[in-house]
Amino acid sequence: MTERLTLTPGQITLPQLRRVAAGGVEVELDPACDAGIAAAAALIDKIVAEDRTVYGVNTGFGLLANKRIPREDLATLQRNLILSHCTGVGSALPDDVVRLVLALKATGLARGFSGVRREVIDALLRLLNAEVYPVIPSKGSVGASGDLAPLAQMAATLLGVGEVRYHGEILPAAFGLKRAGVAPLVLGPKEGLALINGTQVSTALALKGLFATGDLFAAAAVSGALTTDAAQGSDAPFDARIAEVRGQAGQIAMAGVYRQLTEGSAVRDSHVDCPRVQDPYSLRCQPQVMGTCLDQIAHVAAILGREANAVTDNPLLFTKEGDVLSGGNFHAEPVAMAADNLALAIAEIGSMAERRIALLMDPAFSGLPAFLVADGGLNSGFMIAHVTAAALVSENKGLAHPASVDSLPTSANQEDHVSMATWAARRLTDMTGNTATVIALELLCGAQGIEFHRPLKSSPPLEEIVADIRARVAHWDSDRHFAPDIEPILTMVASGALRRFVPGLLPDGD
């Protein structure tokens, strides 16, 4: 039986949104939002009845806002708005992102500041719960005035226009509405504008990036500890006193993580008196670098948590005072900058992991066989696995360039500063995929390195992860087809399975 998930508009949590993205839940709204929805819709009716001029209700849009629209054309105005804004291009957004878009748009409208009828909100939720997902092109939004083109494609589905994806099959939107039990809508005043104004697509893409970053971050903490032990690195840099005198919260937390992961290692005990004075930074400075990344993840999580609960269309209705105010909540700068910050963290996590892989390849440093394979020369071992990691890290360097600094005026200079949040968030999927692969390669290298120290054992947590790896991939005795070894470990990283080693650490829920 499908689990029900009740969302309270304005109070939605990141763990709830993770569940929405994953699918398999039926979303419903807290009934407490009903009164606010009805009051805002009634205010729109009152404005129309009084023949007041209000932007988006009975005017044109953007530079055409000074054009008054007759009452008999108001429904056509909203329909035309939707259809004319369906200009998105590129591959379709994946199901997990579309689930988030539908949920975020429905709950944002349900805050009661947008003036849409309950049946419009219910239609979005019926699509979500029936797994009928609008086909939304991924390109075409600059993140102000909201995600216009992609949200227009979502809204067009409610009119019976466009296409939907149902269990992987592409269907005409009209067929999809029937499967969801929704009749094509005739939009009322302002409803089309409320549907396409907003940051829901950018936010959904950024949330996907945030959740994936949490999964790979946990795996990177484990892989870094594993490599440290395999390379006979020191655990002295993880001493709590070092972190405490600096006072950075992320560093303090990560020093504790590395102590917990490495405690009890016989490999470590075997080289306590070795002549090496200091380790390279990719081992020694893990608490500092990963701690900084953790702080950035927490910062991004806080911003996206607020944005997921925000009202971001325009104009907004304040029913208590009877006011309709035009502003700029659709400007997605918070999402753009948050995504840029997250991109930096993703790139750094992968960059440091690649450097640790490089250390394991080098027998002069690690004391292990070159490229982690016996009978080197006949066997190349992990030589080109490291090259793959280097290629992915280099790609992420380019992708990490801030998107939010690039603004291009649109709408005849009415919209003269835009956020580029949609691209800022969309590239995170490629970046997290790259870094997750680098971490998977480091886990394979680390497990191989630990096994060269047998019969000595690593710490209990690290031996557990070695066993997990070996349950999926055999020890590398001699060269074989490498590609099939990567996929099961990448799946383990991307699934979030290694979050169990860092419980309570990540702000998006475990």
Side-chain angles (χ1 to χ4, degrees):
M1 185 175 179
T2 303
E3 182 182 357
R4 285 181 174 268
L5 178 63
T6 301
L7 299 181
T8 301
Q11 301 177 35
I12 304 167
T13 67
L14 292 176
Q16 286 177 321
L17 292 170
R18 282 179 66 92
R19 292 170 64 191
V20 171
V25 295
E26 184 173 320
V27 174
E28 61 183 11
L29 295 180
D30 186 333
C33 69
D34 291 349
I37 296 170
L43 180 54
I44 291 292
D45 291 341
K46 184 173 184 289
I47 288 167
V48 173
E50 294 174 352
D51 203 29
R52 291 165 52 189
T53 300
V54 173
Y55 173 73
V57 176
N58 47 21
T59 71
F61 306 101
L63 195 66
L64 304 175
N66 293 326
K67 176 72 172 178
R68 177 67 185 266
I69 308 300
R71 184 181 299 190
E72 61 269 20
D73 290 334
L74 296 186
T76 302
L77 173 69
Q78 298 299 316
R79 181 179 178 87
N80 286 351
L81 175 70
I82 298 301
L83 299 181
S84 67
H85 282 52
C86 289
T87 61
V89 296
S91 59
L93 296 176
D95 287 352
D96 55 351
V97 173
V98 178
R99 282 192 287 268
L100 285 169
V101 170
L102 290 168
L104 293 173
K105 177 52 73 175
T107 54
L109 297 177
R111 289 283 304 275
F113 297 94
S114 303
V116 303
R117 295 165 293 162
R118 179 61 191 254
E119 66 184 272
V120 176
I121 298 169
D122 286 344
L124 293 170
L125 293 177
R126 287 196 185 101
L127 290 176
L128 173 61
N129 292 333
E131 300 180 12
V132 174
Y133 304 130
V135 174
I136 302 175
S138 58
K139 299 180 181 181
S141 174
V142 296
S145 300
D147 295 313
L148 294 173
L151 287 175
Q153 202 67 58
M154 177 206 73
T157 301
L158 300 179
L159 309 180
V161 175
E163 294 179 323
V164 299
R165 189 167 52 245
Y166 178 71
H167 294 180
E169 182 181 2
I170 302 299
L171 301 170
F175 289 0
L177 289 179
K178 287 182 180 179
R179 286 187 181 274
V182 177
L185 297 181
V186 176
L187 297 176
K190 194 184 176 294
E191 289 181 336
L193 183 60
L195 284 166
I196 69 171
N197 249 184
T199 66
Q200 286 79 27
V201 172
S202 298
T203 303
L205 286 163
L207 286 168
K208 178 183 174 76
L210 174 67
F211 299 151
T213 302
D215 294 336
L216 68 86
F217 183 90
V222 173
S223 67
L226 189 64
T227 295
T228 299
D229 217 26
Q232 295 186 311
S234 173
D235 60 358
F238 309 149
D239 191 300
R241 292 169 293 182
I242 296 173
E244 286 167 359
V245 298
R246 193 175 201 183
Q248 295 289 353
Q251 178 183 339
I252 291 169
M254 290 311 298
V257 166
Y258 290 117
R259 290 196 303 276
Q260 179 266 323
L261 288 172
T262 57
E263 185 177 6
S265 169
V267 176
R268 170 61 184 133
D269 292 343
S270 71
H271 61 88
V272 170
D273 297 322
C274 73
R276 189 190 302 167
V277 177
Q278 289 185 328
D279 292 328
Y281 291 177
S282 60
L283 300 183
R284 191 185 352 151
C285 299
Q286 287 180 87
Q288 288 79 4
V289 176
M290 288 289 281
T292 301
C293 292
L294 179 62
D295 287 339
Q296 289 301 310
I297 292 169
H299 172 67
V300 171
I303 290 174
L304 295 183
R306 291 193 292 269
E307 194 72 6
N309 285 284
V311 181
T312 57
D313 63 296
N314 183 64
L316 299 179
L317 284 72
F318 296 88
T319 56
K320 184 177 179 180
E321 301 87 358
D323 290 338
V324 181
L325 301 181
S326 285
N329 280 3
F330 49 67
H331 200 296
E333 195 79 355
V335 180
M337 285 195 175
D340 282 344
N341 286 346
L342 194 59
L344 296 176
I346 295 165
E348 282 293 88
I349 294 165
S351 177
M352 205 173 207
E354 181 274 329
R355 289 291 79 207
R356 292 192 297 264
I357 294 173
L359 294 179
L360 291 179
M361 299 300 103
D362 182 2
F365 172 78
S366 70
L368 301 172
F371 305 110
L372 299 175
V373 67
D375 201 6
L378 176 63
N379 296 298
S380 296
F382 287 72
M383 179 190 298
I384 307 305
H386 173 235
V387 172
T388 295
L392 296 176
V393 167
S394 184
E395 183 174 309
N396 271 0
K397 289 177 184 178
L399 289 171
H401 184 278
S404 58
V405 299
D406 180 21
S407 176
L408 199 66
T410 60
S411 193
N413 285 316
Q414 175 74 3
E415 298 160 6
D416 60 350
H417 183 278
V418 299
S419 70
M420 297 298 177
T422 321
W423 162 241
R426 180 161 56 84
R427 51 77 193 263
L428 298 178
T429 297
D430 284 343
M431 293 189 70
T432 54
N434 288 342
T435 293
T437 304
V438 174
I439 301 308
L441 292 169
E442 185 183 17
L443 286 167
L444 286 167
C445 293
Q448 186 82 358
I450 286 292
E451 289 171 331
F452 280 114
H453 294 293
R454 298 296 189 229
L456 296 176
K457 293 284 189 179
S458 186
S459 67
L462 296 182
E463 286 294 337
E464 182 180 338
I465 191 59
V466 170
D468 284 352
I469 293 167
R470 289 293 169 247
R472 295 164 172 83
V473 175
H475 179 81
W476 193 274
D477 293 314
S478 60
D479 283 353
R480 60 176 185 258
H481 188 199
F482 204 122
D485 287 2
I486 300 172
E487 192 59 35
I489 308 306
L490 176 58
T491 299
M492 182 171 67
V493 171
S495 72
L498 301 188
R499 284 176 178 250
R500 73 183 190 275
F501 291 98
V502 291
L505 181 69
L506 292 156
D508 59 337
D510 297 324

